[in-house]
Amino acid sequence: MLNLNRHNVLDHYKLPAEVRWCKICTSSNQRPRLAFNEESICGACLWKKQQNNLVDWSLRERMLAALCDKHRKGNGEFDVLVPCSGGKDSGFAANILKTKYGMTPLTVTWAPHLYTDIGRKNLTALIDHGFNNVLGTADGQIHRKLTRLAFIHGGHPFLPFIYGQINFPLRQALNYNIPLVFYGESGAEYGDMKNAETPLRVINDIDEHTFGGFPLAFWKEHGINPQDMVPYQQPSATQLRKMGLEVHFLGYYFNWDPQENFYYAVEHTGFTPNPDRTEGTYSKYASLDDKLDGFHYYMRYIKFGMGRTVADTAHEVRVGKITRDEGVLLVKKFDGEFPKKYFKEFLEYVSLSESEFEEVVDSWRSDHIWKRENGTWKLRFPIWENPASQGENAILAAKSI
């Protein structure tokens, strides 16, 4: 037993107590930083409507071309850095910058906790299609400890990976003196509007006293030397500004569409989808490289009542790939599916028993999201039973599954 107290999810993530579902897509207002208007329309849908109506994409592409002209070296030296897992989106970014805009990209990968066969295959395929790559692999003992602590105390087993994924490429940009970095889409695609009106990610000063919301003293008390945290942290903002670093979102310049990126990556970078459907959703081509990935999405489902299928359908509704009614059907069928395929490996990786895992999971269930009926946890307000914010046809269709 870990003897954990239940977390106050509402306060921790500053969530509204009333669950509301977007009238246009399948997102709820329980997603952190996703605002809703009075008509129950989420910020991501409002942003997509604005993009469709107001953005001149041909102008944006000319802006991208001018940016590449500014940074292109033309002598074989790296002139752009692309954080890259080998997946569809990073493959699209690296290839189009090289083939259409004449750049010489260095792709940089922060290794997953535990590579899947298909994930490693796709990274190798990308490299074999003409790309240089730097692979960063964390100290295995430290990474396991951090993942275990992040899962137990933060309900977030992916936290160490995310910090490395964001900051390791910046360290390589500094090491290789590459002042132009391209990530994929910004958070505006999902309703986090801080980067909505700019292609740039702001390089903030580092808060040296926290990591993932925890003070360094917390990690030190649990056996992590502060020096071991350095690979996960951003280089100093002073250094990055001195080298003139610009971090751009490619999604600012293109109308970002993950499914179209998938088709592009299959054709141009040798990307291969999973032969089987990914647990927790209906797709076969996203987030394929890490065996722990499913537990990241499962904990989102536990905390917010919305998991991987909600994320996938919400975006596909916004870009017109599926209707909202179809999205609701998919959410009811697949969202919250337990990631059993790699469960034993996850438990071994974080050194927990199955009962301890369940204790951690239940410590993050909030009463405003969950209820207990006949010994089974159930969502209080699932999207298919929420007529206040969805169409009548979706409700009737969901009942037929």
Side-chain angles (χ1 to χ4, degrees):
M1 292 288 290
L2 300 171
N3 297 316
L4 299 176
N5 295 320
R6 289 189 70 185
H7 299 275
N8 189 327
V9 176
L10 280 169
D11 288 349
H12 187 86
Y13 290 101
K14 299 179 175 58
L15 301 178
E18 178 189 4
V19 177
R20 297 165 64 197
W21 294 92
C22 179
K23 287 182 176 180
I24 295 178
C25 73
T26 58
S27 286
S28 91
N29 64 346
Q30 298 303 297
R31 183 183 176 111
R33 299 178 298 281
L34 180 61
F36 274 50
N37 67 9
E38 294 180 355
E39 288 75 37
S40 288
I41 300 174
C42 77
C45 286
L46 293 170
W47 169 241
K48 181 56 67 175
K49 180 179 179 181
Q50 181 177 330
Q51 279 188 317
N52 292 338
N53 293 338
L54 300 177
V55 172
D56 182 343
W57 293 110
S58 61
L59 173 61
R60 292 278 179 94
E61 284 206 51
R62 292 196 296 274
M63 292 170 62
L64 175 60
L67 178 67
C68 290
D69 289 344
K70 172 185 172 184
H71 287 272
R72 189 182 304 107
K73 293 180 179 179
N75 60 2
E77 295 182 11
F78 301 125
D79 45 29
V80 62
L81 186 149
V82 181
C84 187
S85 67
K88 64 185 185 343
D89 294 327
S90 54
F92 165 75
N95 186 271
I96 204 163
L97 287 168
K98 178 179 179 178
T99 60
K100 184 173 182 178
Y101 295 96
M103 304 297 285
T104 306
L106 175 65
T107 63
V108 173
T109 304
W110 178 252
H113 297 86
L114 294 171
Y115 255 118
T116 61
D117 291 341
I118 193 70
R120 186 68 217 206
K121 177 182 177 181
N122 280 326
L123 179 60
T124 300
L126 177 77
I127 295 168
D128 289 346
H129 276 72
F131 292 92
N132 294 281
N133 179 263
V134 172
L135 174 64
T137 305
D139 179 317
Q141 292 183 343
I142 299 300
H143 208 54
R144 281 179 180 240
K145 288 180 181 178
L146 286 173
T147 303
R148 172 185 163 87
L149 292 170
F151 178 60
I152 293 173
H153 299 284
H156 197 340
F158 239 45
L159 184 65
F161 173 78
I162 289 172
Y163 271 76
Q165 182 187 47
I166 292 171
N167 293 321
F168 180 72
L170 299 184
R171 291 188 169 277
Q172 300 315 302
L174 197 61
N175 289 342
Y176 284 87
N177 192 30
I178 305 173
L180 180 62
V181 175
F182 266 104
Y183 284 91
E185 75 275 41
S186 78
E189 293 288 334
Y190 310 100
D192 186 353
M193 306 308 292
K194 63 184 177 183
N195 294 111
E197 302 296 340
T198 175
L200 291 166
R201 175 187 156 200
V202 177
I203 302 297
N204 293 318
D205 292 321
I206 305 167
D207 182 351
E208 296 180 350
H209 305 292
T210 66
F211 174 75
F214 295 96
L216 288 181
F218 168 85
W219 302 100
K220 187 174 182 180
E221 288 170 6
H222 289 82
I224 306 294
N225 189 315
Q227 293 179 350
D228 292 327
M229 307 293 285
V230 171
Y232 301 87
Q233 295 176 310
Q234 179 186 290
S236 77
T238 300
Q239 287 179 296
L240 297 178
R241 292 190 186 109
K242 185 176 180 180
M243 73 173 290
L245 182 73
E246 297 181 33
V247 180
H248 288 251
F249 295 105
L250 195 62
Y252 179 84
Y253 302 98
F254 292 100
N255 197 355
W256 198 257
D257 189 329
Q259 192 172 109
E260 296 303 317
N261 293 350
F262 161 62
Y263 297 142
Y264 183 98
V266 168
E267 181 178 356
H268 297 286
T269 70
F271 178 81
T272 303
N274 230 347
D276 302 314
R277 175 184 62 81
T278 301
E279 291 174 310
T281 191
Y282 53 94
S283 71
K284 298 181 179 182
Y285 57 71
S287 300
L288 304 181
D289 54 328
D290 199 326
K291 293 181 179 180
L292 271 61
D293 193 69
F295 299 94
H296 166 56
Y297 283 98
Y298 185 70
M299 289 307 297
R300 284 175 54 172
Y301 177 71
I302 296 300
K303 292 177 180 180
F304 312 124
M306 45 189 296
R308 194 173 197 147
T309 307
V310 167
D312 289 348
T313 55
H315 200 276
E316 292 205 343
V317 170
R318 289 185 209 115
V319 298
K321 299 299 184 186
I322 62 175
T323 67
R324 188 181 187 279
D325 289 2
E326 291 169 332
V328 172
L329 291 171
L330 291 166
V331 169
K332 183 174 184 181
K333 189 169 185 179
F334 296 116
D335 208 41
E337 179 184 17
F338 186 76
K340 62 184 179 181
K341 183 175 182 179
Y342 299 118
F343 185 39
K344 289 184 178 179
E345 289 174 83
F346 177 80
L347 292 178
E348 180 182 349
Y349 190 86
V350 295
S351 301
L352 291 174
S353 68
E354 189 168 340
S355 61
E356 288 171 330
F357 171 86
E358 292 172 355
E359 183 181 354
V360 173
V361 169
D362 287 345
S363 75
W364 286 98
R365 292 188 193 269
S366 177
D367 288 338
H368 82 293
I369 297 278
W370 294 96
K371 60 183 177 180
R372 189 89 164 167
E373 286 187 356
N374 301 320
T376 302
W377 288 108
K378 294 184 177 181
L379 292 173
R380 288 186 181 275
F381 305 105
I383 190 171
W384 56 91
E385 294 178 2
N386 186 26
S389 60
Q390 69 178 43
E392 182 179 350
N393 289 339
I395 303 171
L396 295 174
K399 289 180 178 177
S400 68
I401 292 182

